[in-house]
Amino acid sequence: MTSDNTGITVTILGSGTCVPSLRRSACAVLMETGGTKLLLDCGPGTMRRLLEAGVAIFDISFVFLSHFHPDHSGELASFLFSNKCADGNRRDTPLTIIAGRGFSHFYEGLKGAYGHWIALSPELLNIIELDKLGNDGQSFGDFTLESAPMVHNPESLAYRITSSDGMSVVYSGDTDVSENLVTLAREADILICESALPDALKVSGHLTPSLAGEIASRAGVGKLVLTHFYPECDAADIEAECRKTYAGPLFLAEDLMRIVNSE
Ligand SMILES: [Zn+2]
Ligand SMILES: [Zn+2]
């Protein structure tokens, strides 16, 4: 199905983690709304998965980072380099990068390591470093943006993207149990939520299937997509664990899984 001008089409580009996996690339999600393409997180392997999804890097207008861990940001430098220097082709439309507090410092660090090779011209690159307070409801043409701090890293943010016709998708990034996530995801059409490890292997800073399900139930979301699976998840019954706390439509992410408005 092609993306149309209504709603938001979600494509999971990477459903995995830092663990190398042929099945699960590191974290990245593509959202398309009203002709605008958004990339949420840019873990290693993202550009290959974009190609597999039929999307050119130049078609991405917005890159959001949930936080700076390498499984979510590790391909950003390569992405910028490719936008600037790809053979016979280069970006001529603006790119906006949106991330939490400290991103400018992070980007300066990347430029310190890679130099001008990754530095897009100021006319092409717009950086928005969200403060954790009072950045709700900003409009970006085809969508509005809300964000909320998560329980993971100091800069961690979850994002809520709402299309011009009112469909909302929330992306948690990495987090432990978070009241902010329940609030941000309130009655969202889709919640894409991390579920890093099975219930029995819970670690600090991450969710499990039943905890993600509880957040989805409390928020009253339309659909829940679990993602960010460590290999231990593939040996567990993730669906059964999530069903302990959540009865609604449930998707277990796989790379290149596509979720459209009408499904
Ligand atoms: Zn992380
Ligand atoms: Zn992660």
Side-chain angles (χ1 to χ4, degrees):
M1 184 172 293
T2 57
S3 70
D4 51 29
N5 286 328
T6 61
I8 301 172
T9 300
V10 171
T11 305
I12 303 294
L13 296 172
S15 59
T17 63
C18 61
V19 179
S21 165
L22 293 174
R23 175 177 172 184
R24 301 191 184 282
S25 194
C27 303
V29 175
L30 172 68
M31 293 189 198
E32 301 170 76
T33 181
T36 300
K37 291 181 169 58
L38 295 68
L39 179 63
L40 290 99
D41 280 338
C42 192
T46 295
M47 288 193 287
R48 283 184 64 119
R49 288 291 193 240
L50 272 176
L51 278 179
E52 290 176 295
V55 175
I57 55 173
F58 309 109
D59 294 337
I60 301 293
S61 309
F62 291 85
V63 174
F64 294 78
L65 294 184
S66 64
H67 64 298
F68 307 150
H69 278 160
D71 55 325
H72 300 254
S73 68
E75 199 158 287
L76 182 65
S78 297
F79 180 86
L80 292 169
F81 178 60
S82 298
N83 272 272
K84 185 171 169 141
C85 303
D87 237 10
N89 202 355
R90 60 181 58 196
R91 172 174 289 272
D92 56 11
T93 55
L95 175 71
T96 298
I97 302 178
I98 298 176
R101 187 182 291 167
F103 178 73
S104 296
H105 179 71
F106 178 86
Y107 178 57
E108 289 304 315
L110 290 180
K111 283 197 294 186
Y114 291 108
H116 71 277
W117 298 105
I118 65 160
L120 294 182
S121 69
E123 305 82 62
L124 289 181
L125 184 62
N126 177 32
I127 290 175
I128 299 176
E129 184 175 318
L130 294 174
D131 195 281
K132 290 194 170 184
L133 303 169
N135 56 53
D136 284 355
Q138 290 188 51
S139 175
F140 292 90
D142 283 331
F143 66 92
T144 55
L145 171 67
E146 295 162 84
S147 63
M150 293 294 103
V151 183
H152 187 71
N153 263 11
E155 76 281 9
S156 287
L157 294 175
Y159 296 106
R160 181 175 179 132
I161 308 292
T162 302
S163 67
S164 50
D165 62 342
M167 180 183 174
S168 288
V169 180
V170 171
Y171 174 63
S172 70
D174 287 359
T175 189
D176 209 316
V177 173
S178 164
E179 286 302 311
N180 281 350
L181 185 55
V182 176
T183 302
L184 187 72
R186 181 78 60 205
E187 294 181 358
D189 294 277
I190 300 174
L191 169 60
I192 304 166
C193 191
E194 80 119 287
S195 171
L197 287 160
D199 286 353
L201 300 175
K202 165 89 176 83
V203 295
S204 176
H206 287 288
L207 293 170
T208 67
S210 68
L211 291 171
E214 192 176 326
I215 287 169
S217 292
R218 289 183 56 209
V221 303
K223 301 183 181 78
L224 173 61
V225 182
L226 297 183
T227 190
H228 201 281
F229 294 130
Y230 277 91
E232 289 86 343
C233 290
D234 293 323
D237 191 343
I238 296 302
E239 179 169 2
E241 293 187 6
C242 186
R243 286 300 182 207
K244 290 189 242 170
T245 54
Y246 174 75
L250 175 63
F251 298 76
L252 305 184
E254 294 287 344
D255 289 16
L256 300 175
M257 174 185 275
R258 208 166 151 82
I259 301 154
V260 299
N261 206 358
S262 54
E263 282 177 349

